[in-house]
Amino acid sequence: MNNFRRLLRNVSVPRFGAAAILALLIATSALLALTAVALMAPTPALAAENLGGGAAQAPELPPGLSPEEADMLRKLLQTNPEARKALEAAQQQKNNAAQQQKDNTAQQQKNQAEQIKKAAEAEADATKKELTTKPEGATAAAKAELAAPGRYDWRTSAYVGPLFANRLTSQERDSLPHFGHELFTPTPGAALLLENMPVAPGYIVGPGDEIVVKMWGRVEGTHRFVVDRDGKIFVPKFGSLYVAGKTFEEMRAFLKAKIATIAEVSSDITLGQLKGVRVSVVGEVRSPGWYNISSLHTALQALSIAGGMKDIGSLRRIRILRAGQVAREIDLYEFLLSGDTRADIRLLQGDVIFVPVVGKLTAIAGEVRRPAIYELRDEKSLLDLVRVAGGFAPSAFKQRVQVERLEGNVARIVLDTNAEDLETDRKPFPLFDGDIVRVLPIVLADGNVVTVEGNVYRPGKYEIKPGMTVGSLLPDEKAFLPETYFDYALLTRLVPPDLHKEVIPVNLREIVLEKKKEADVALQGRDRLTIYNRSVFRDLPKATISGEVRLGRPDLTKVPKTEVQATTEKTAREARTVTESAVERNVLTFDIQAGTRAADLVKLAGGLTRLAALDRAELVRVDDNRTYRTIYFDLGKAIAGDPEENILLENEDHIRIHSVMETRYRKTVTAAGEVNNPADYVLTEGMRLSDLLFKAGGFKESAYAKEGELIRRELTPQGDLVKTQTLAVYPEKALAGDPASNLALKEYDLLVVRTIPEWSEKIQVTLSGEVQFPGVYNAWKGERLGSVVQRAGGFTKGAYLKAAIFTRVSTQKTQQEAIDKLIEDLELEVAQKSQQVGAALDKEDVEASRELANARRSLIAQLKKTRAKGRVIIRLEQNGKVEGTQNDVLLENGDQLDVPRKLNVVNVIGRVYNPTGVMFDPARDSVGYYLRLVGGPTENADRDHIFLLKADGSVVTKENADAGFFAFGDRGLMNARVEPGDSILVPEKLVQVRFMKDVKDITQILYQIAVTAGVLIVAF
C-alpha cells in the first residue's frame, strides 16, 4: 500500500495515456490482492459517491489514501471501465480471503474448546472414581443418614438415668434436659445441606477438590477439573497447572489470569465437589468410627454426624488430636452459653476427635432460668452452677436452697443452705458428683393485699391501705354485676399467729346501698371477700317444653346452644320435672323471666315443626304442695297473641306440643315371603301391587313370581273385623303392566310371595386330602357323597379310607348343644352334691366329697373350652367304592370329607408311663400289646375305663369289646384289634367316697362326650 501511495505521488497523471493508466491499475490490483491476505478484519471504507449521474455505485476505495489521492482515483475509475473492474475484482478477492481466515480461526477455537472439555471431564471422572473406590468411601452425609442413632433421652440411659431418675420427682424427670445433648438431635438431611454450603475465600485447595471453570465470549462452555494427588490440574493448551496449597481466592485469580490470555474470553471460577478428609471419631460417642467427611466440616459437625455423645461422654473436654498432639480442646458449654466457636476448627486429613468420660454431673431444678443436668468443669460451688443455669428466677426463695447428696457411696443426705449468705460472704458451697440442687419458690401469700372475687366487674387483688373498709373498697353499686345478692357476702380472714381461717358475714345492702357506717367491716392483709350471685341462694325460674318444637328434634335443625341459652337433655323420668308422656324424646329447659308467656317459650325452642297440632296444647303446672294440674290452651291463638290463650308462665311449668299424627292412624300394607325387603309400608293414595313389590326391593332368586297370595281384612267403620279373604295374585304380570293383575291395595293387605317348588339353597361340599381332584364342589338337592367323590376322580392309591373324617355343620351344632346341656346338668349336680355334704358323713367322707366336687368343677371348666367337631362316623370300603353303600349319605351344605394318607402310628395317651406314638406292627395288633410297649397304666390310672378311639371316630370300651367287630380270639378290650391311626386312652382314677350310690362316674361322662361329639378332652 505504501508503494501504491508513493506511485500516485511521484507520477503526474496528465503525462500518461490510457494504456499507461490501465497498466498502472493492473499493478495496483496485484498489490491489493497481495495485501488483502494479511488483513484480519474489514476496514472502514470511504463514503461512496455517485459516478456518471449515480447510475452505479463506485467500488470501495483502498484504505489509507489522502483526499487528493482518493479524488484522483475516482476520476480514473469514472473514465476507465477496465480500471473499475480490476479494482472491484481486487476488493472481492480481499473479502473472500478475510472471510476464509475468520472461518478457519473460529473452527480452530471450537476444536480447542472441545478438546479442553473432553480432557477435563475424563480427568474428573478418573479422579472421582479413584476417590470413591476406597473401602470406606461412603460420604459422611450418607453415613449419617443411614446409621444415625435415635434421639438421646437421659431417662433411659445406662448411667445418667439411674443416677438421677429415682431421686427426682415425676415433674422434674419430665422437665429436666441433659444440657448440651439436644445439639446433636438427628436432623434428616443436615449433613447433605452442610456439604452444599459455599466456601470461604481462605479455603485451601487440595487434592480431590473439583474446580469449575465457566467461559463465555469467543470460547463458551463449562469445564470441570479435579485436583490430582500431585496437586495439579490439566488444562488443554495450558498444560498442568499446580493449584494445591493456594487459597480459593488465590487459585481463582491465578486461573482467571491464565484464561485471560485467550483473546475476547471472560471466565468465572468456582468450586464444585470438595475434597474429602478421613477423620476418626472415638471415645464416648454414640457411633464411633472412621468418617470420610467434607473438608468444610468442623469438629462439632463431625460429632453430630457420629450421633453425638453417649450419656457418659464429656461435653466439656472434647479433644482434637492432630499428628499425635492436642490441636484444640473444645468446651461445648462455651459455644452454647456464649456463642464462642473459636475452638471448633475445621478438620484436616487424619485428625482424631476424642470424647473422654464425663466429669461431675449435677442436676439443678426449680426456680432457676435454665434447670437441667449439667457437667461441671471449672465450676466448684453452688453459685457457679447457678450461674451456668442462667441465674436465679425472680420467684426463687434464696434463703433455702436444698442439696440432695450421695454421701460416701453409702447414704443419701439432704443439705440446706442460704444462697443470700453465700452471695454476701462469698463462701463457696462445694458440689459433688451426683448432687441434686433444688431452688424452692416463694410460697408465702401476698401479705399486703385483699382479694375480691365473685359477682363484681373487677375481681382481683387490691393493695391494702390504712383504714380500708368494705365500703371504701366497693363504694357504690356500679362495682357489682347484675343479679348481685347484696344481703350476704363472705369475708374470709387468716388470723395470726397460726393463720387459722375466720369467716365474717358481710351485709352489702347495709354497707353499699344504705350507707350504714356501723355495718361496715375493716379490712386486713390477706382478706378474701366473696360476692355472690342471686342464683347461688335461690333457683332461677325455669320452664320446660317438649314435643313438636324444632330444637327438640335434632334431625330437623341444629342451632348453637349459645344462641338461645338452652340445654337439651335426653328423655329420662328421673331427670324431668314433669313427665307426662313416654313418647317424648327431648325436653328443653329455659330460664324464664317475669312476663314470659307460652308463645315466648315456643320461640325460644326454635318454633314449631310442620307436624305441630295448633288447635290444642297442654301446660302442666305444679304448685307449692307439689300438686300437678293440666291447663289446655289453643296454641294457634297463643302464637297469634291472644292474651287469654297465651298463658303467663310460672316456675316449673311444662308445655307439651302434640303432633297431628297422634290422632291419625297410619295406613299400612305388608310384603312378606320371598322379597328382598319384607316389611310394613305406608299405604299411599292409588298404591297398587306393583308399587308394593317395588318398595319391597323386588323378588329373591328363590321367589315364585308367577302366583302369590294377597290376604285382605275388611273392617267396619266401628273397627270390627268382618271377614278375611285370600286372593290369588300374579306378581310377575303386575310388574309387566297387566292392569287386571295390578290390583289396587287396601289398608292391612298382606302380600305373600311363595318359594319356587323344590327350591333348595346352594349346597357346597369340600373334598380334601387323598382325592384325585380336591376342592369345593357344588351339589344339587338329593345328591349323595358317592356321586361327588366320583366327580372328584375317586381316591388316590395312598388314601387311608379307614381314617376318613366326615364333618357336618348341622351335626356340629347338635353336638355342641349336647355338650352345653351336659355342662349345665353337671353344674347343677355339683351344686346339689355340695349341699348334701353334712352331718350324715364322717370327716373323711366330707373331705372326699369336697375333692370330688373340685374335680367336677375342673371338668366343667375343661368342658367349657371344648368345641364339637361335627364328625359323623362313616366306614368307607377299602376298594374306594362309596356309591350305593351304607355310607353313601345325602349331602348338606358345608359337608367336608378329609381322607388322610396311610397312617403307621398308634397313639397311646393318658395315664401311662410313656404317653407317645408307637409304630404299628401288623403282627401284633391288640390293645394290650401297645399298652405294654409304653409301660402300661400308672398307679393312678382308671383301668376299668380304658377305651380305644378308632381312626374312623368309633369307640371301643370294656363293655362293647366282648363281642362284635373289634374282638378276636380271646375276648376283651385288651385283645381288641388295633389299626393304624387308632388311639388308646387311659383316664385318671378320680376321687371316690364310700357311698358310691351318690357319685356319678365322671370318666363315663368324658368318653360319652368323645363318642357323641367326636372330640378328645384334654383331661385324658
Side-chain angles (χ1 to χ4, degrees):
M1 187 60 61
N2 291 332
N3 295 332
F4 178 73
R5 187 178 292 112
R6 285 195 301 270
L7 182 61
L8 291 179
R9 290 176 180 174
N10 298 328
V11 179
S12 177
V13 176
R15 293 173 57 188
F16 290 93
I21 295 174
L22 180 60
L24 176 63
L25 288 176
I26 294 173
T28 303
S29 300
L31 290 174
L32 290 174
L34 292 175
T35 57
V37 179
L39 297 178
M40 298 298 298
T43 57
L46 297 175
E49 297 181 3
N50 287 338
L51 300 178
Q57 187 175 2
E60 182 180 354
L61 299 180
L65 297 179
S66 66
E68 296 82 4
E69 294 171 345
D71 185 63
M72 187 188 330
L73 184 58
R74 285 193 205 96
K75 292 179 179 180
L76 177 64
L77 295 176
Q78 290 176 358
T79 59
N80 196 328
E82 290 80 2
R84 178 185 179 92
K85 292 180 181 179
L87 182 60
E88 289 177 351
Q91 289 178 346
Q92 183 65 32
Q93 186 178 3
K94 171 186 174 183
N95 293 338
N96 293 339
Q99 184 64 33
Q100 182 67 29
Q101 180 69 20
K102 184 176 180 181
D103 293 343
N104 294 338
T105 304
Q107 185 64 32
Q108 291 176 359
Q109 292 175 346
K110 183 178 179 181
N111 295 338
Q112 182 181 6
E114 291 292 335
Q115 293 175 359
I116 294 174
K117 182 178 179 181
K118 291 180 180 179
E121 290 178 352
E123 184 176 1
D125 292 341
T127 307
K128 288 181 179 178
K129 183 176 180 181
E130 178 183 348
L131 293 176
T132 55
T133 53
K134 297 179 181 179
E136 296 85 7
T139 64
K143 189 170 182 180
E145 294 295 333
L146 295 176
R151 186 184 183 92
Y152 170 78
D153 186 0
W154 68 266
R155 300 163 192 82
T156 59
S157 63
Y159 176 70
V160 182
L163 181 61
F164 292 108
N166 295 333
R167 297 183 291 144
L168 294 172
T169 65
S170 59
Q171 182 179 1
E172 291 171 343
R173 282 196 302 270
D174 295 338
S175 61
L176 287 185
H178 192 167
F179 183 74
H181 281 272
E182 64 273 9
L183 182 65
F184 301 104
T185 300
T187 303
L192 187 60
L193 291 175
L194 182 64
E195 292 184 354
N196 292 330
M197 66 183 296
V199 297
Y203 175 78
I204 304 300
V205 179
D209 283 336
E210 182 184 47
I211 301 173
V212 181
V213 179
K214 298 179 181 179
M215 295 186 295
W216 65 93
R218 295 180 62 186
V219 179
E220 296 183 352
T222 300
H223 311 284
R224 298 177 181 271
F225 308 97
V226 177
V227 183
D228 60 16
R229 296 180 184 275
D230 297 331
K232 295 180 292 184
I233 59 173
F234 179 79
V235 181
K237 192 176 181 181
F238 297 108
S240 296
L241 303 178
Y242 192 84
V243 295
K246 300 179 184 294
T247 65
F248 172 61
E249 193 65 29
E250 294 172 347
M251 181 272 298
R252 182 164 56 181
F254 171 69
L255 292 182
K256 288 178 71 70
K258 286 288 185 181
I259 297 173
T261 59
I262 302 176
E264 300 180 16
V265 176
S266 300
S267 63
D268 182 41
I269 313 298
T270 60
L271 286 179
Q273 184 70 34
L274 300 181
K275 64 178 178 291
V277 295
R278 185 173 176 83
V279 297
S280 303
V281 184
V282 294
E284 302 304 327
V285 293
R286 304 183 71 186
S287 298
W290 293 273
Y291 289 87
N292 291 333
I293 62 175
S294 168
S295 54
L296 294 177
H297 281 77
T298 64
L300 293 183
Q301 292 163 353
L303 278 174
S304 179
I305 294 174
M309 291 75 167
K310 296 180 181 177
D311 59 331
I312 60 171
S314 174
L315 276 69
R316 309 294 303 272
R317 299 185 303 276
I318 305 169
R319 294 199 289 271
I320 303 175
L321 305 179
R322 184 171 292 167
Q325 303 294 325
V326 178
R328 195 66 58 92
E329 184 171 277
I330 302 176
D331 184 354
L332 192 58
Y333 281 21
E334 293 180 355
F335 170 62
L336 295 174
L337 299 179
S338 60
D340 187 357
T341 60
R342 289 176 296 177
D344 188 21
I345 61 176
R346 287 183 177 174
L347 300 176
L348 301 181
Q349 176 70 24
D351 282 357
V352 177
I353 303 174
F354 177 73
V355 179
V357 176
V358 69
K360 295 180 181 179
L361 288 176
T362 58
I364 183 168
E367 302 304 314
V368 292
R369 288 186 170 86
R370 195 188 302 111
I373 299 173
Y374 292 94
E375 179 185 356
L376 302 182
R377 183 180 181 181
D378 300 327
E379 299 81 13
K380 306 296 182 182
S381 66
L382 186 145
L383 293 181
D384 292 338
L385 177 62
V386 171
R387 280 191 289 272
V388 174
F392 290 106
S395 58
F397 184 65
K398 299 169 64 174
Q399 297 179 9
R400 179 171 176 254
V401 178
Q402 188 180 87
V403 179
E404 185 175 334
R405 177 166 295 167
L406 302 174
E407 182 69 16
N409 290 7
V410 294
R412 296 179 183 176
I413 62 173
V414 175
L415 304 175
D416 289 339
T417 184
N418 190 326
E420 292 181 348
D421 293 343
L422 297 178
E423 292 174 342
T424 303
D425 301 338
R426 297 185 178 181
K427 294 181 180 180
F429 184 91
L431 293 179
F432 295 91
D433 195 11
D435 281 357
I436 298 177
V437 179
R438 290 185 175 89
V439 181
L440 306 178
I442 299 173
V443 296
L444 292 178
D446 301 326
N448 64 333
V449 299
V450 58
T451 303
V452 180
E453 61 185 11
N455 207 56
V456 292
Y457 279 109
R458 297 178 181 86
K461 296 179 179 180
Y462 291 84
E463 179 187 1
I464 192 73
K465 296 180 179 179
M468 180 179 283
T469 63
V470 174
S472 62
L473 180 62
L474 303 170
D476 52 40
E477 64 276 8
K478 296 179 181 179
F480 301 94
L481 292 171
E483 298 295 324
T484 298
Y485 189 72
F486 286 95
D487 294 330
Y488 181 81
L490 189 65
L491 182 64
T492 305
R493 175 167 293 168
L494 299 178
V495 181
D498 57 348
L499 298 180
H500 66 274
K501 285 186 178 182
E502 182 179 282
V503 176
I504 302 173
V506 176
N507 192 325
L508 294 176
R509 183 177 299 278
E510 294 180 352
I511 298 174
V512 179
L513 301 182
E514 300 177 2
K515 304 295 183 180
K516 294 182 179 180
K517 294 184 178 181
E518 63 274 11
D520 206 353
V521 179
L523 297 176
Q524 299 179 5
R526 301 180 185 174
D527 281 354
R528 180 177 294 272
L529 180 62
T530 305
I531 315 298
Y532 297 100
N533 189 282
R534 289 179 182 272
S535 61
V536 176
F537 299 99
R538 63 181 66 174
D539 292 334
L540 295 176
K542 297 180 183 297
T544 57
I545 186 171
S546 62
E548 294 299 325
V549 289
R550 297 179 70 250
L551 291 185
R553 298 285 299 276
D555 55 327
L556 296 180
T557 180
K558 293 182 180 179
V559 178
K561 185 169 119 179
T562 55
E563 292 185 5
V564 295
Q565 302 296 324
T567 57
T568 303
E569 53 191 47
K570 291 185 179 295
T571 303
R573 292 184 181 273
E574 64 273 15
R576 294 179 187 166
T577 304
V578 180
T579 55
E580 291 293 329
S581 174
V583 183
E584 298 176 5
R585 294 184 179 180
N586 294 288
V587 177
L588 303 177
T589 304
F590 297 93
D591 295 335
I592 60 174
Q593 309 296 331
T596 304
R597 295 182 176 271
D600 300 327
L601 188 61
V602 171
K603 290 183 175 64
L604 289 174
L608 300 174
T609 67
R610 294 183 299 103
L611 300 179
L614 298 179
D615 55 344
R616 195 179 191 193
E618 59 178 309
L619 184 148
V620 180
R621 179 165 290 172
V622 58
D623 57 18
D624 295 339
N625 298 323
R626 311 308 299 171
T627 301
Y628 293 91
R629 66 188 181 96
T630 303
I631 303 172
Y632 297 97
F633 64 98
D634 191 315
L635 180 60
K637 293 181 178 180
I639 293 176
D642 189 341
E644 294 183 1
E645 300 294 336
N646 196 12
I647 302 173
L648 192 66
L649 298 180
E650 298 180 4
N651 188 30
E652 295 189 74
D653 278 356
H654 174 75
I655 295 179
R656 166 71 174 156
I657 309 298
H658 291 269
S659 172
V660 295
M661 301 302 298
E662 294 177 9
T663 58
R664 298 180 184 177
Y665 294 105
R666 177 174 292 182
K667 298 180 180 180
T668 61
V669 292
T670 305
E674 298 302 304
V675 290
N676 288 313
N677 299 310
D680 294 336
Y681 295 93
V682 177
L683 177 63
T684 58
E685 186 176 355
M687 188 173 179
R688 293 185 173 272
L689 180 61
S690 59
D691 301 328
L692 178 59
L693 289 170
F694 177 77
K695 291 177 180 290
F699 302 113
K700 290 183 179 179
E701 184 183 2
S702 57
Y704 184 66
K706 293 183 178 181
E707 186 176 350
E709 289 184 349
L710 183 68
I711 301 174
R712 176 166 291 173
R713 294 180 296 172
E714 296 184 1
L715 302 179
T716 64
Q718 293 75 24
D720 299 330
L721 178 63
V722 175
K723 63 178 180 179
T724 300
Q725 56 179 337
T726 302
L727 305 177
V729 293
Y730 307 98
E732 191 174 59
K733 293 182 179 180
L735 289 176
D738 184 7
S741 302
N742 196 15
L743 300 179
L745 299 180
K746 296 183 178 181
E747 187 179 3
Y748 308 119
D749 279 356
L750 170 62
L751 173 64
V752 180
V753 179
R754 302 189 187 94
T755 306
I756 297 175
E758 297 297 324
W759 172 268
S760 63
E761 296 294 338
K762 180 172 58 177
I763 299 176
Q764 287 189 333
V765 181
T766 302
L767 302 183
S768 59
E770 296 302 313
V771 292
Q772 294 290 349
F773 301 101
V776 179
Y777 289 85
N778 291 322
W780 58 86
K781 184 178 180 180
E783 189 172 9
R784 294 181 177 272
L785 178 61
S787 174
V788 177
V789 171
Q790 185 176 4
R791 287 162 53 193
F795 304 108
T796 65
K797 294 181 180 181
Y800 187 43
L801 299 180
K802 289 185 177 182
I805 301 175
F806 184 79
T807 57
R808 175 163 287 176
V809 176
S810 59
T811 303
Q812 179 186 15
K813 182 178 179 181
T814 304
Q815 291 173 350
Q816 190 61 48
E817 291 175 353
I819 293 176
D820 296 341
K821 182 64 169 60
L822 181 60
I823 293 173
E824 183 180 349
D825 295 342
L826 199 55
E827 288 178 336
L828 179 61
E829 184 178 353
V830 170
Q832 293 174 351
K833 293 298 181 182
S834 300
Q835 295 176 359
Q836 295 176 3
V837 179
L841 302 174
D842 57 21
K843 183 177 180 180
E844 181 181 353
D845 291 327
V846 170
E847 293 297 329
S849 297
R850 288 177 179 172
E851 293 183 13
L852 181 61
N854 292 334
R856 289 175 180 271
R857 293 189 184 96
S858 177
L859 174 62
I860 292 172
Q862 294 178 2
L863 288 177
K864 288 182 178 180
K865 300 178 182 178
T866 302
R867 292 292 176 266
K869 303 297 183 182
R871 182 173 182 178
V872 178
I873 299 175
I874 60 173
R875 296 189 179 94
L876 301 179
E877 301 292 339
Q878 290 297 322
N879 57 9
K881 182 179 180 181
V882 181
E883 194 170 1
T885 65
Q886 183 180 359
N887 296 290
D888 191 11
V889 296
L890 288 172
L891 296 176
E892 297 180 4
N893 187 41
D895 285 352
Q896 295 185 11
L897 177 64
D898 181 58
V899 182
R901 283 183 173 273
K902 183 72 172 181
L903 302 175
N904 295 319
V905 176
V906 176
N907 296 305
V908 184
I909 59 177
R911 296 302 173 181
V912 294
Y913 284 99
N914 183 23
T916 185
V918 181
M919 295 299 296
F920 176 72
D921 186 356
R924 298 177 177 85
D925 56 356
S926 65
V927 172
Y929 169 74
Y930 291 100
L931 279 176
R932 288 191 296 272
L933 284 181
V934 297
T938 61
E939 294 180 356
N940 60 346
D942 189 353
R943 297 172 180 267
D944 294 333
H945 294 92
I946 300 173
F947 63 92
L948 174 65
L949 181 62
K950 301 293 290 180
D952 59 7
S954 60
V955 177
V956 182
T957 65
K958 182 178 180 181
E959 286 74 14
N960 63 6
D962 292 335
F965 176 79
F966 302 105
F968 66 97
D970 295 333
R971 300 183 183 276
L973 179 63
M974 293 298 105
N975 294 317
R977 180 183 292 113
V978 177
E979 296 176 305
D982 291 353
S983 298
I984 303 171
L985 294 100
V986 182
E988 182 181 2
K989 183 188 297 182
L990 300 179
V991 179
Q992 297 183 2
V993 297
R994 286 176 291 177
F995 299 96
M996 290 300 297
K997 60 183 179 179
D998 295 330
V999 180
K1000 187 173 182 178
D1001 190 350
I1002 298 178
T1003 307
Q1004 186 70 15
I1005 296 173
L1006 293 178
Y1007 92 79
Q1008 284 179 358
I1009 292 177
V1011 174
T1012 58
V1015 296
L1016 290 178
I1017 309 300
V1018 182
F1020 292 119

